[in-house]
Amino acid sequence: PADSPQAAQVAEAHRAYFHQWFYDCTPQIHRGLGEMYVADARFTRTYEDVAPGLAEYARDAHAANADRQAS
């Protein structure tokens, strides 16, 4: 599940990568990035080409990770 410990670990590693190499990527900014994966067809297509449903799963994992860090 997108809110599993394994998904949180991968989502956090993804957020930390962006934070280290690109910009100050807070958990809330990372949540917004996940939202773009389903809101912008270009992002969605990239993820869906890897695996059907991946864009929504990544969005949900980013959101669950942000929620976990907020609590």
Side-chain angles (χ1 to χ4, degrees):
D3 61 351
S4 71
Q6 296 86 354
Q9 184 178 14
V10 173
E12 180 56 21
H14 184 261
R15 187 200 68 76
Y17 178 85
F18 272 76
H19 185 77
Q20 179 177 0
W21 294 106
F22 298 106
Y23 49 83
D24 183 17
C25 188
T26 66
Q28 291 307 318
I29 290 172
H30 197 237
R31 177 194 301 270
L33 182 60
E35 289 295 331
M36 284 194 328
Y37 294 166
V38 295
D40 185 316
R42 296 167 296 179
F43 280 100
T44 304
R45 186 172 37 259
T46 297
Y47 279 81
E48 295 301 302
D49 284 350
V50 173
L54 185 57
E56 287 184 15
Y57 182 84
R59 178 207 52 205
D60 294 347
H62 289 198
N65 187 52
D67 290 345
R68 182 182 61 82
Q69 290 192 24
S71 63

